[in-house]
Amino acid sequence: MLEPVTGRYALAIPPALAGLIDPADPNDPITRQFLPDTRELTPVPGELADPIGDAAHSPVEGIVHRYPDRVLLKLLAACPVYCRFCFRRETVGEGEAALSPAAIDRALAYIAERPGIWEVILTGGDPLALSPRRLAALARRLDTIPHVKILRVHTRMPVAVPDRIDAALIEALKASGKTVYVALHANHPRELTPAACAACDRLIDAGIPMLGQTVLLRGVNDDVQTLATLMRAFVEARVKPYYLHHPDLAPGTAHFRLSIEEGQRLVAGLLGRVSGLCQPIYVLDIPGGFGKTPIGPNRLRPGKAGTIEIEDWRGNLHAYRPG
């Protein structure tokens, strides 16, 4: 019954995540994220094959240059696990997995020729699916580009294949000579297992700070308690919550999407209830390639006689007169 879905979109679930699935729960949030659903074959109006406009900002293969001071470097189209809501689901898991040596040459030349590029963000697919040898080779080439100061890596590997985060991989990342950050994608607190947290420890203890990224998903984390537990779990693992993404308009993902108003209510529910360390930035990646914008709830409104009314975390309004 699911063969048409897996014939259209890639499927892979490593043991670390497969072991979290509760077969007795038809609404299990891990199942929902990773097992195919026939609804994926029914796109709705407004969904887009390239929802965040990668193609419109790709001057050379592998590069997405949407913002002045940073670029994405999409090294490969393979992942250890394929999320059913992925915004790149039309391109990951198909064809040649990794950029060719010639394409990497062109991508690195593009970066080297533009001194305004301060940060390179490795993405894909999952860049940590590459071997340490290939990662180290790329990192050493980035080390020769002096205006690049930051190397950021977006990955699910610590939760998907925790043992992959070993000394060889960490040394490969540090071979860049840059300040390295690793951004971990996790959407439910059950993903942050002891093994996943130990993988994060190995990165952090090696001097690589970590950020947390989460997609707001119906049936997975669309309640305040689950979000609060997840954000606290990130912080307890020394991973700073960074972005809470509103789900993108990828084809066949309507069953995951909430309205922005629902998302704003959930984010408002976190305020005051969890530490400031646990507060992510709620963002929307504007369709068409126009970049991310914060869309959190507005706590300010015009008041009387030159004042501003400010809503506190309990929902009470307070007059504030600007100085």
Side-chain angles (χ1 to χ4, degrees):
M1 182 177 178
L2 293 176
E3 288 181 0
V5 185
T6 57
R8 179 75 179 84
Y9 297 115
L11 171 66
I13 310 175
L17 288 172
L20 298 179
I21 292 173
D22 182 355
D25 182 2
N27 299 311
D28 177 62
I30 308 300
T31 300
R32 190 168 172 82
Q33 288 188 73
F34 304 125
L35 287 187
D37 187 309
T38 56
R39 288 176 290 184
E40 295 176 47
L41 298 178
T42 308
V44 302
E47 292 182 333
L48 303 166
D50 181 13
I52 67 167
D54 277 356
H57 296 275
S58 184
V60 299
E61 183 183 4
I63 291 285
V64 179
H65 195 176
R66 187 178 288 112
Y67 303 101
D69 72 336
R70 55 205 182 275
V71 296
L72 300 181
L73 177 52
K74 298 195 293 184
L75 290 174
L76 75 170
C79 295
V81 61
Y82 291 99
C83 304
R84 309 320 301 176
F85 50 86
C86 178
F87 65 92
R88 292 196 178 114
R89 65 200 324 251
E90 297 292 327
T91 58
V92 297
E94 294 186 351
E96 290 294 325
L99 281 182
S100 69
I104 290 176
D105 289 346
R106 290 190 291 270
L108 292 176
Y110 180 90
I111 294 168
E113 291 163 4
R114 287 160 178 81
I117 296 175
W118 173 79
E119 179 181 25
V120 173
I121 302 166
L122 302 186
T123 183
D126 194 314
L128 297 191
L130 288 174
S131 70
R133 178 185 61 80
R134 295 181 73 178
L135 277 173
L138 176 77
R140 285 192 292 268
R141 294 182 70 179
L142 285 171
D143 191 26
T144 68
I145 305 176
H147 56 263
V148 173
K149 305 298 184 183
I150 306 295
L151 176 63
R152 192 192 332 163
V153 181
H154 286 196
T155 184
R156 257 196 180 282
M157 199 63 76
V159 300
V161 190
D163 290 346
R164 181 82 173 184
I165 310 301
D166 60 12
L169 184 143
I170 291 168
E171 286 307 307
L173 292 176
K174 297 181 76 172
S176 69
K178 311 300 179 184
T179 299
V180 180
Y181 285 80
V182 169
L184 172 64
H185 176 183
N187 300 316
H188 193 274
R190 274 169 43 208
E191 296 175 50
L192 294 174
T193 63
C197 291
C200 294
D201 283 343
R202 291 192 289 274
L203 287 162
I204 296 164
D205 289 345
I208 298 176
M210 293 189 67
L211 307 167
Q213 296 205 93
T214 296
V215 182
L216 187 59
L217 300 167
R218 189 176 298 283
V220 174
N221 54 25
D222 58 334
D223 64 273
V224 171
Q225 186 55 54
T226 299
L227 279 179
T229 302
L230 172 62
M231 298 306 156
R232 285 174 174 147
F234 271 137
V235 172
E236 289 166 16
R238 296 185 287 169
V239 177
K240 175 66 181 80
Y242 180 34
Y243 281 147
L244 176 63
H245 294 270
H246 191 76
D248 296 304
L249 297 172
T253 63
H255 52 294
F256 285 109
R257 287 198 296 276
L258 291 77
S259 69
I260 288 176
E261 291 75 17
E262 288 175 296
Q264 289 174 328
R265 286 194 292 272
L266 288 168
V267 172
L270 290 178
L271 293 173
R273 290 175 173 83
V274 296
S275 165
L277 288 171
C278 303
Q279 302 287 343
I281 305 169
Y282 182 34
V283 294
L284 172 71
D285 218 324
I286 302 170
F290 299 102
K292 296 181 184 69
T293 190
I295 56 171
N298 185 1
R299 317 298 290 191
L300 304 177
R301 64 198 72 182
K304 297 177 181 178
T307 65
I308 297 170
E309 288 189 333
I310 303 175
E311 183 180 350
D312 68 24
W313 67 274
R314 295 182 178 87
N316 299 319
L317 294 175
H318 307 271
Y320 173 79
R321 185 177 299 279

